[in-house]
Amino acid sequence: MSDFYYVYILIDVATGEHHYVGSTSNLAARLAKHNAGEVPHTSKYAPWKIGTAVVFSDKERAVAFETYLKSGSGREFAKRHF
């Protein structure tokens, strides 16, 4: 198991208009799954690139930040800062 946890924002390569927020302990493997169409929610707009990734040493904080970024105020925060 990884000692680090990532919260990431994906951007679709084709238009840059679609975004996806997720978290994982293996960023490269997770991106590969998104781009291989193995994640139903993101398969329609593949391929994806990583727009932002934030590293946490604590899984609970990573999950809390992911949840925040998926909220209304979190989406606005991401637009302003990422």
Side-chain angles (χ1 to χ4, degrees), residues 27-43:
L27 190 56
R30 189 66 176 150
L31 178 61
K33 283 188 174 206
H34 283 290
N35 285 331
E38 296 178 21
V39 181
H41 190 76
T42 60
S43 61

Side-chain angles (χ1 to χ4, degrees), residues 2-8 10 21-31 33-34 50 53-56 58-59 62-63 66:
S2 173
D3 292 330
F4 297 105
Y5 301 90
Y6 302 87
V7 176
Y8 59 90
L10 299 180
V21 175
S23 63
T24 185
S25 60
N26 187 331
L27 190 56
R30 189 66 176 150
L31 178 61
K33 283 188 174 206
H34 283 290
I50 297 171
V54 181
V55 182
F56 292 85
D58 181 279
K59 182 178 182 177
V63 170
E66 175 191 7

Side-chain angles (χ1 to χ4, degrees), residues 55-71:
V55 182
F56 292 85
S57 59
D58 181 279
K59 182 178 182 177
E60 289 75 25
R61 288 185 182 181
V63 170
F65 189 59
E66 175 191 7
T67 301
Y68 169 68
L69 289 179
K70 290 180 175 180
S71 72

